[in-house]
Structure formats: structure tokens, C-alpha cells
Amino acid sequence: MIASLFNKSRPINYVLIGLMLVVFYFLYLTKDLSWTGQYHQIAEKIVFLGVLTASVFLVRFITKRNGLSKDNSYAAFFFAVFLILFPTVLVNTNVILSNFFLLLALRRLVSMQSMITPKEKIFDASLWIFVATVFHFWAILFLVLVFISVIFHVSGDYRNWIIPFIALFAVGTLFLMTVLLIDHSLMDFVQHQIRVSFDFTYFENTFQNVALAFFSSVAVLFFATQLLSLSNRPLNMQSSYKKIIFTFLLGVGIYVLSADKNNSFLMFTFFPLAVFGTNFLESQENKWVKEGILGTIVVVALIIFFGQL
């Protein structure tokens, strides 16, 4: 059964997750085969598959390294299943890149609980967030999480409040140099993204509508149980879980504010929901409940995926 298979952190589990991602990625690309005859487009698809794969394993690294879950593969599996549930993510290169850089930022912010080199972690996280903003402007909302982390851990040193602005200057300088020397269209690209839209009537088919409704129900379940169980977490871990909660809320904010809206923007919520889902399964003592919940999510994701091919 699925829950029993991923209940442990074995190398074979990550091989299976990687193979699953490769298969479904190329299956979805069969909707448009115009890229198959051009070598540069084939190389581009392979690169973005690599970024997606790295994102999945980065999710596992963050959860394991920071004690956000037990020793299992649920978080990586949830993240991969969410990609299948919303296959439009697989072809939205800007969202894939932006989310990857945000994961790199979260890796540094969550690890701040160790209080080892906090200034370097604040700078690195801010830097990655500003890089993510280049690909999707509203990723800048995650800068709020940097200041939340400062409040949680190192608010007493005024220099920690200034570090994000140093990172902004560094990324801004590099971006302007790139615009002036290499590609003037980058400025137009970013300016195009600095728009707000609350139009949620973007669905291209019924399956996208159903996917959003199902995902929202699962998200409410996982989020509510995470909030209710927060007080039962060890005191030294509560700040980390609070950051994951804020990560989810900021991800929802990006989806709500983004113009040219589609389901792929929900990718910014995949990591926190993968953590919530993992904690929820770990709290279930009845193995059949685990199997039923995980099996239902997988079956619905598969139906919706193949319905959009």
C-alpha cells in the first residue's frame, strides 16, 4: 500500500518519486509535440525537469534536516502528487524557477532556529527571494517571512533588519546590469508581472475547476489540523512550524494577487502543504486511515491529470 511504502525513508522511495515525476512530466508534454524537433527546446525541457526534481528533493532535505517530520518520504511524495494534480505547473517555467529559489530561501530561514550564522542566513534567504521575484514578482511577499524570522530569533541586533536591503541592492544592481548590457526586454518582463488581478474565472476545463476544489478541501484539512496541533509541538520547534504556516499563507497570497491567473500559481503552497500533510499522516494511528487519505489524493490526482491530456 502507498502509505506503508513511503512510511520509511529508503533510497528506493526517492527513485520511485523521481521516475513518477519523469513519466508524468513527459506525458503532459505530449499535448504539444512541437518541441521534439528542436534540440534547444528538448534541452530546455530536460533542464526544467531537473529543476522540478531538485525541488522535490529539496523539500525532503528541508523537512528532514530541520526535524519538521519523522524519517519518512511523505513530504517529497505529497509535493510530487500536487504537481500531478496541477499539471499546468509542469509547463510554467517562471513559476518553477521562482518556487525553486524560494525553497532555497526557506532552507535558510527554517534553519535559523539553530542560531548558527544568522546574519549569513538572513542575507542568503533575502537574496534568493529577490532572485525568485525576477521570475514572478509577487514572490517578493516572502520577504515578510525574513522579517518574521528576525523577530523570532535575532530581533535584538538592529543590523539584522538592514541585511535584506543589502541583498536587495545586490540583486537590483546585477539585474540592472543585465538589462543594460544583455537583454533590455527583461525590464518589460518584470513590469508586466507587477499587476494585480482578482479574476478567478480562468478555468480552461472542468478538471481544473475540480482540481482546485479538491485541493482547497485538502488544504483546509491539513492547515486546520496543523494549527490545532501547534501547541503540542516541542517549544524549540514551534517557531519553525509557525514559519511553515506563514509560508502557506504567503503562498495563498501570491496566488490571489497574481495576474494572468491559473492553477500553476498554487505551486507556492505545495511545500507547506506537503509538511502539513506529512504531519497529519504521522498523527494517524490507524494505518487504514493513512492508506485511505493518501490513496484518495493519489487517485483523484491521476484522474484529473489524465482528464487533461
Side-chain angles (χ1 to χ4, degrees):
M1 302 294 282
I2 299 175
S4 301
L5 176 63
F6 292 98
N7 192 42
K8 298 293 183 182
S9 182
R10 309 182 187 92
I12 186 62
N13 291 357
Y14 300 108
V15 172
L16 291 173
I17 292 172
L19 288 174
M20 178 177 71
L21 188 59
V22 170
V23 169
F24 283 96
Y25 179 75
F26 284 108
L27 271 177
Y28 193 71
L29 291 184
T30 58
K31 291 186 65 175
D32 178 15
L33 294 175
S34 61
W35 58 274
T36 56
Q38 303 185 36
Y39 294 112
H40 72 280
Q41 289 197 24
I42 294 174
E44 181 182 278
K45 303 299 183 185
I46 294 173
V47 167
F48 284 109
L49 174 61
V51 175
L52 280 171
T53 305
S55 298
V56 171
F57 290 101
L58 192 53
V59 166
R60 174 54 187 152
F61 176 83
I62 296 171
T63 54
K64 182 178 181 180
R65 184 68 177 268
N66 297 284
L68 296 173
S69 70
K70 297 178 181 178
D71 190 20
N72 55 56
S73 324
Y74 289 146
F77 184 69
F78 269 121
F79 192 89
V81 171
F82 292 151
L83 290 174
I84 295 171
L85 181 63
F86 296 111
T88 51
V89 174
L90 302 175
V91 292
N92 193 329
T93 56
N94 292 327
V95 168
I96 291 172
L97 290 172
S98 184
N99 186 74
F100 175 71
F101 290 120
L102 287 178
L103 286 175
L104 291 176
L106 288 168
R107 181 180 70 88
R108 301 297 276 170
L109 292 176
V110 176
S111 67
M112 279 183 65
Q113 67 173 359
S114 67
M115 295 301 292
I116 299 173
T117 62
K119 288 181 174 58
E120 288 84 346
K121 291 176 179 177
I122 293 170
F123 178 81
D124 290 347
S126 302
L127 188 73
W128 290 128
I129 289 170
F130 287 124
V131 172
T133 299
V134 173
F135 296 99
H136 187 71
F137 175 76
W138 290 112
I140 200 170
L141 291 179
F142 272 78
L143 195 62
V144 173
L145 194 62
V146 175
F147 292 109
I148 289 173
S149 300
V150 171
I151 293 171
F152 283 165
H153 303 291
V154 287
S155 59
D157 188 342
Y158 73 92
R159 290 172 296 183
N160 295 319
W161 298 92
I162 301 173
I163 292 173
F165 299 101
I166 298 174
L168 172 61
F169 177 77
V171 175
T173 301
L174 291 173
F175 176 74
L176 289 175
M177 288 177 61
T178 304
V179 170
L180 293 173
L181 299 176
I182 300 175
D183 191 350
H184 295 277
S185 64
L186 280 175
M187 186 64 75
D188 295 331
F189 170 73
V190 174
Q191 288 177 341
H192 177 72
Q193 295 186 72
I194 308 176
R195 295 181 295 128
V196 176
S197 172
F198 298 106
D199 181 10
F200 294 91
T201 59
Y202 57 82
F203 303 106
E204 298 175 359
N205 53 61
T206 303
F207 290 103
Q208 291 182 2
N209 201 334
V210 173
L212 179 60
F214 177 74
F215 182 78
S216 300
S217 301
V218 171
V220 169
L221 171 65
F222 288 171
F223 181 69
T225 54
Q226 186 73 25
L227 282 179
L228 293 173
S229 65
L230 182 61
S231 60
N232 298 324
R233 302 289 178 185
L235 289 177
N236 64 329
M237 290 296 300
Q238 288 194 11
S239 62
S240 295
Y241 285 109
K242 288 177 182 177
K243 290 177 198 175
I244 303 303
I245 290 171
F246 280 115
T247 297
F248 173 72
L249 296 175
L250 291 171
V252 173
I254 293 175
Y255 167 73
V256 171
L257 292 176
S258 296
D260 302 323
K261 206 180 305 295
N262 61 69
N263 283 345
S264 65
F265 295 127
L266 290 166
M267 187 181 191
F268 297 106
T269 66
F270 286 2
F271 167 67
L273 278 181
V275 176
F276 297 163
T278 298
N279 294 157
F280 179 75
L281 287 186
E282 290 173 350
S283 68
Q284 303 301 312
E285 297 181 359
N286 189 319
K287 71 173 185 177
W288 294 110
V289 173
K290 291 183 181 181
E291 298 290 356
I293 293 171
L294 199 55
T296 299
I297 294 174
V298 171
V299 169
V300 172
L302 291 175
I303 292 173
I304 290 173
F305 178 87
F306 285 107
Q308 296 181 71
L309 290 181

